Amino acid sequence: MLLTGKVAIVTGAARGTGAAICRRFVDEGATVVATDVLVDEGQAMAQKLGPQASFAALDVTDNSAWEATVGGVLASHGQIDVLVNNAGILHIGSIANTSMETFRRVVDVNATGAFAGIAAVAPPMSARGSGSIINIASIDALHGMNGLSAYTASKWALRGLTHAAALELGRSGIRVNSVCPAGGNPGMYGPWGTQLMKLGPGLTSYGSNRAIPREASPDEIARVALFLASDLAEMVTGADIPVDGGHLAGDYIEGFDQMSADI
Ligand SMILES: NC(=O)c1ccc[n+]([C@@H]2O[C@H](COP(=O)([O-])OP(=O)(O)OC[C@H]3O[C@@H](n4cnc5c(N)ncnc54)[C@H](O)[C@@H]3O)[C@@H](O)[C@H]2O)c1
């Protein structure tokens, strides 16, 4: 049991990766407050996890909602040990097809929302002299990709925020790390799903050239979040941990290692 006695807040937890993180944390003994804008789904998810989990509605872009959530968790549980900034939205579209409003919305949820969360939990964590903040970024926080200008900018911002916060809060006993997955809930691709299927080899090669040629599942990401939340990661801060099956290691070329010649 890696998280016995710890209290965690997870954002964007009604489904997908956030829900998988809640499940792992509860299994390891944590008390979990799952939050999301999807209230019915979030409540049902938390109920399934039993008495160690509860749900609170939270739009991460709403600063006063953050204050209310953190105040509520402190009133009910007395402490906050872990914050997982997992809430996120995607936009796929060329720069020409990305309005200023969309760009701002993506950055607002994915980066500014996490900043608001860090600002809200830092005082009670500092008062206790310990805490772990985990930002679920993306492989798109480590490289660029056409069609993802808003999403990529938001995730690079989140990774930059991770480093700055790690430096600023380290002396208060708070660790801040980012997890950078290639994969998660395929449901996130919602409106683009059918169009993506039509891309064919261009899209297939994106995943199939990896050392492990597939996407990460929500639970595979949750297991890395679990490590960072636990005291096993005591000396780990300011890190960006890829959960990408070796995507960034380079390209696997079928047959390249089967060639031979004398030199
Ligand atoms: N799905 C992928 O392929 C993938 C890849 C890399 C990184 N990620 C990241 O992983 C995280 C989790 O995504 P997922 O894959 O589980 O997809 P998901 O769409 O299932 O989860 C995102 C959750 O965030 C919630 N959310 C959206 N806006 C919110 C807001 N303003 N306030 C609070 N909650 C809000 C949604 O309701 C949803 O439950 C996201 O940060 C995402 O960017 C996903």
Side-chain angles (χ1 to χ4, degrees):
M1 298 288 258
L2 290 174
L3 302 183
T4 303
K6 292 194 191 288
V7 177
I9 299 176
V10 183
T11 69
R15 64 183 197 195
T17 305
I21 291 170
C22 291
R23 203 168 304 121
R24 276 279 164 194
F25 281 17
V26 163
D27 286 351
E28 293 292 334
T31 298
V32 173
V33 180
T35 67
D36 206 297
V37 287
L38 300 174
V39 176
D40 293 344
E41 255 181 89
Q43 277 170 343
M45 190 285 304
Q47 209 161 13
K48 270 190 213 143
L49 296 182
Q52 275 167 254
S54 59
F55 176 80
L58 171 67
D59 180 337
V60 295
T61 65
D62 181 346
N63 209 31
S64 54
W66 266 112
E67 281 171 27
T69 303
V70 166
V73 175
L74 290 173
S76 308
H77 304 294
Q79 68 197 60
I80 299 167
D81 301 284
V82 181
L83 167 66
V84 185
N85 284 311
N86 167 77
I89 56 172
L90 176 68
H91 172 71
I92 305 177
S94 65
I95 291 168
N97 281 320
T98 301
S99 66
M100 289 295 284
E101 194 183 30
T102 296
F103 188 94
R104 287 198 174 109
R105 172 84 188 135
V106 173
V107 172
D108 202 23
V109 175
N110 296 358
T112 317
F115 173 78
I118 293 170
V121 300
M125 283 182 173
S126 295
R128 277 169 60 77
S130 68
S132 171
I133 298 172
I134 300 153
N135 297 322
I136 306 300
S138 170
I139 191 170
D140 300 311
L142 297 162
H143 70 175
M145 197 160 158
N146 56 316
L148 286 182
S149 56
Y151 187 76
T152 303
S154 73
K155 293 296 187 178
W156 279 72
L158 181 57
R159 191 160 71 90
L161 170 63
T162 303
H163 291 210
L167 287 163
E168 193 168 318
L169 302 175
R171 281 165 174 72
S172 303
I174 303 170
R175 298 182 291 103
V176 190
N177 292 287
S178 81
V179 176
C180 300
N185 178 10
M188 193 181 214
Y189 291 97
W192 300 278
T194 320
Q195 295 171 63
L196 281 170
M197 290 302 152
K198 289 183 190 155
L199 290 182
L203 183 67
T204 317
S205 65
Y206 177 69
S208 64
N209 292 344
R210 286 176 196 152
I212 301 171
R214 61 176 178 79
E215 298 282 280
S217 72
D219 187 58
E220 286 168 328
I221 301 160
R223 280 181 254 164
V224 176
L226 168 63
F227 165 70
L228 291 171
S230 78
D231 295 341
L232 290 177
E234 212 162 32
M235 197 55 184
V236 182
T237 194
D240 309 307
I241 305 193
V243 186
D244 67 349
H247 188 100
L248 295 168
D251 291 328
Y252 178 82
I253 301 172
E254 190 72 48
F256 202 75
D257 50 355
Q258 303 305 313
M259 297 189 292
S260 61
D262 285 333
I263 56 165

